[in-house]
Amino acid sequence: MNNLNSAYAVAGSDVAFEVFDGDVIVLDMGNGKYYSFSNGGSAVWVALVAGVAPSDIANHSAHGEAVPGFVKQLHDLGLIEARPSLLPVAADSDQIAALAAANEAPDLRIFDDMADLFLADPIHDVEEPQGWPVVKQA
Amino acid sequence: MARRETGLVPTTNTTMWRTEAITTATIAGYGRHLLDVASATPEHLLATIDVALPHLDLRVRVPEGTLADAVRTAFVPWGDKASKPSRRAEITVLDPTVGDTPDPLGWGSAPYVPHEISRSLSQVGLQGSLFHDLRFWQFHDLATGQGVQLMAGPDSFPPWEPGAPLRAFLHWEYAAQGRRMTHAGTLGREGRGVLLAGAGGSGKSGTVLAGLLHGLSSVGDDYVLVDLSENRVCAFPIFTTLKQDERGARRLHLDRLLGSRELNWQGKVQFRTSDIEADIARDGLSIGAILLPKVGADATSVHVASRSEAMLGLAPSAVYQMPGERESGFRFFSRLVSMLPAYRLELGPDPEEIAAVLWQFMDELAS
């Protein structure tokens, strides 16, 4: 169960993200997966990684009821982690505006085309006849 | 060629390097050992080939043979010789038929995790990679610009190597300069152009060829050098290689220009820019937009795309396909995407129509 009153942060140095005109793209360098978010999801992410507590985010969001489940999904994917030792910060005016204006519920898409190759051990995880980069099927 | 002393490098024991499998703990020492072997290899055993590339003077010491021929023909000579001072790099290509070169060692039973190995090597000033199937090792010292490529035999290289020789070394050198080898196609005219980004099969190469055959120029259809300095995006040619799958080759009537050819390792027709008298913009192209091609439309059209779409079209393969750490690539391509507008390019089947749409698009971009 996630603590909705806690501050959260990006989970470790393998997770990188960038914001493009309000759209968030996240790369998990540990497994090679890319994530893109709906505009509601991008607004939640931006506030969350700035240290705003999920409960505060839900209060400002046009899709507040969906925020706890989305935060849990981000946590379960290993993209964020709770930082109970940190005091949450208040949402700023830009974050509040983005959360209120989002016309899509918080959601994400996973792009894992490269993930198999990213994760694969090119020596021990390949089909022998073809060799790298043909990944051994599970 | 002076060996770089770091104090972090394990003691090199020549006997050990002849018998033991390499591990994450010993790979840096092995890399230093191979660099020493390269520096001790007599000049008369190797051909010396100098290649002037954008911002990089490359000297390749390589045994005569297939790879030496590839080095002589696969690079586009840099057009703007006068401009800024270049870095110098010297890559020595070795195999056990050359002098005292040892057989390449293999990897042990421990997992080989490329980005972790890259992190480990970078702590001692090295970059490196292993193509395990062939025991094909590459190590590069960024401080000295010295690199070594060790192969099990004169022709024991991956099938893509002759088309884009020494690509990993170029990646390491350019990444250290803040530039980036980029998996993208390009088209342009009068010095201005577009990047074509997308996964394999999206239509990059076919679009580049359609443009080249109808009067546009390019700096490459697969790998180009991208420079974001001076607050603008420029793309430069590196390789002369062009490729096209059989269906695309038929549609483009390439057989009239190339005759019958064997297919390459990807089942594609592979040739040089000179084979089709392509207009290569040797001084580079100033890039004004990212296009995301997609095959399968009835007619060619251009539509505005979001920057996040452009990032997802450009970055995954570009970040993955170069050896080494990945975050700097992600940041580089993020910056690139933030500097340019992005468009989806829905591709119809007619190469002439594709080129006409791109001519018009580039006219509008320039106005």
Side-chain angles (χ1 to χ4, degrees):
Chain A
M1 188 69 172
N2 292 304
N3 182 349
L4 299 181
N5 296 313
S6 171
Y8 282 76
V10 172
S13 59
D14 273 349
V15 178
F17 75 95
E18 291 281 351
V19 184
F20 303 95
D21 304 324
D23 292 338
V24 172
I25 300 287
V26 177
L27 168 63
D28 185 339
M29 288 174 282
N31 60 24
K33 292 181 182 177
Y34 279 78
Y35 302 85
S36 74
F37 299 152
S38 62
N39 60 15
S42 290
V44 171
W45 174 275
V46 168
L48 200 60
V49 299
V52 182
S55 56
D56 195 16
I57 292 171
N59 288 337
H60 294 297
S61 172
H63 309 274
E65 74 289 347
V67 169
F70 184 63
V71 171
K72 180 176 187 308
Q73 188 179 15
L74 296 175
H75 183 267
D76 291 349
L77 288 167
L79 302 179
I80 57 167
E81 58 192 17
R83 293 283 175 81
S85 61
L86 298 179
L87 274 180
V89 301
D92 66 25
S93 57
D94 288 345
Q95 292 159 357
I96 291 170
L99 287 163
N103 61 3
E104 299 166 342
D107 197 7
L108 60 79
R109 291 179 65 194
I110 303 173
F111 297 83
D112 58 2
D113 304 11
M114 290 289 160
D116 284 351
L117 295 177
F118 227 84
L119 261 186
D121 171 344
I123 293 173
H124 305 105
D125 286 349
V126 295
E127 296 285 5
E128 285 303 324
Q130 296 98 330
W132 174 255
V134 179
V135 177
K136 189 179 287 182
Q137 299 302 305
Chain B
M1 183 182 341
R3 176 182 155 184
R4 183 166 176 260
E5 298 292 342
T6 66
L8 294 172
V9 181
T11 303
T12 300
N13 179 309
T14 301
T15 304
M16 180 179 89
W17 299 130
R18 291 188 185 280
T19 57
E20 293 191 9
I22 301 305
T23 67
T24 305
T26 61
I27 189 170
Y30 186 54
R32 291 282 174 208
H33 168 64
L34 294 186
L35 286 164
D36 286 346
V37 171
S39 69
T41 301
E43 295 293 332
H44 70 274
L45 298 178
L46 301 165
T48 299
I49 304 169
D50 289 319
V51 184
L53 296 173
H55 309 288
L56 182 65
D57 285 340
L58 182 66
R59 170 163 288 185
V60 185
R61 301 167 70 231
V62 53
E64 286 294 354
T66 306
L67 278 190
D69 293 344
V71 169
R72 290 187 177 101
T73 58
F75 293 107
V76 178
W78 173 220
D80 184 9
K81 328 65 329 215
S83 65
K84 297 146 197 167
S86 289
R87 259 182 72 89
R88 291 179 184 277
E90 181 178 288
I91 312 302
T92 302
V93 179
L94 296 173
D95 67 72
T97 67
V98 178
D100 294 328
T101 303
D103 286 319
L105 295 180
W107 189 263
S109 56
Y112 183 98
V113 183
H115 72 284
E116 287 182 6
I117 286 167
S118 174
R119 266 182 212 163
S120 164
L121 286 172
S122 66
Q123 288 171 356
V124 294
L126 290 180
Q127 296 286 347
S129 80
L130 165 65
F131 181 73
H132 174 261
D133 299 35
L134 296 172
R135 286 183 293 145
F136 178 90
W137 290 95
Q138 294 172 311
F139 288 102
H140 194 59
D141 183 335
L142 280 170
T144 64
Q146 305 291 330
V148 59
Q149 175 169 298
L150 176 61
M151 311 183 297
D155 292 323
S156 297
F157 44 77
W160 52 81
E161 189 68 14
L166 310 174
R167 195 179 75 195
F169 297 100
L170 300 183
H171 165 69
W172 292 321
E173 277 290 330
Y174 284 127
Q177 297 177 16
R179 301 180 171 93
R180 206 85 188 179
M181 293 292 291
T182 299
H183 182 217
T186 51
L187 279 172
R189 52 185 290 240
E190 296 172 1
R192 294 175 56 85
V194 296
L195 276 184
L196 297 151
S202 59
K204 293 190 303 292
S205 291
T207 305
V208 171
L209 281 167
L212 285 172
L213 294 172
H214 293 90
L216 293 171
S217 62
S218 175
V219 295
D221 78 333
D222 195 28
Y223 281 99
V224 299
L225 174 65
V226 172
D227 183 358
L228 306 183
S229 61
E230 299 172 8
N231 222 22
R232 63 190 189 125
V233 180
C234 291
F236 299 99
I238 298 293
F239 297 117
T240 60
T241 307
L242 297 171
K243 291 180 287 188
Q244 184 56 215
D245 62 42
E246 278 187 288
R247 202 167 66 170
R250 278 196 299 275
R251 196 172 58 243
L252 291 156
H253 304 297
L254 287 179
D255 54 332
R256 293 180 193 167
L257 294 165
L258 302 172
S260 176
R261 296 212 171 195
E262 282 187 21
L263 302 181
N264 78 353
W265 61 283
Q266 295 169 299
K268 293 183 177 180
V269 181
Q270 183 168 313
F271 49 100
R272 304 284 185 205
T273 51
S274 57
D275 294 334
I276 60 167
E277 299 180 357
D279 180 8
I280 297 304
R282 293 189 176 200
D283 292 345
L285 291 171
S286 176
I287 300 296
I290 299 171
L291 299 186
L292 308 169
K294 185 182 177 190
V295 297
D298 292 333
T300 301
S301 57
V302 182
H303 310 270
V304 172
S306 69
R307 288 198 164 91
S308 57
E309 284 178 86
M311 184 65 181
L312 288 167
L314 184 65
S317 64
V319 170
Y320 163 70
Q321 290 196 7
M322 291 298 179
E325 61 83 29
R326 275 128 186 189
E327 182 167 0
S328 67
F330 181 72
R331 302 297 179 199
F332 181 92
F333 293 116
S334 297
R335 188 168 163 236
L336 166 59
V337 163
S338 70
M339 293 169 73
L340 295 173
Y343 301 87
R344 285 193 305 280
L345 177 64
E346 304 282 350
L347 292 168
D350 179 3
E352 190 172 350
E353 184 233 14
I354 291 170
V357 169
L358 289 168
W359 269 86
Q360 184 182 349
F361 177 80
M362 280 186 257
D363 277 345
E364 291 169 5
L365 201 62
S367 63

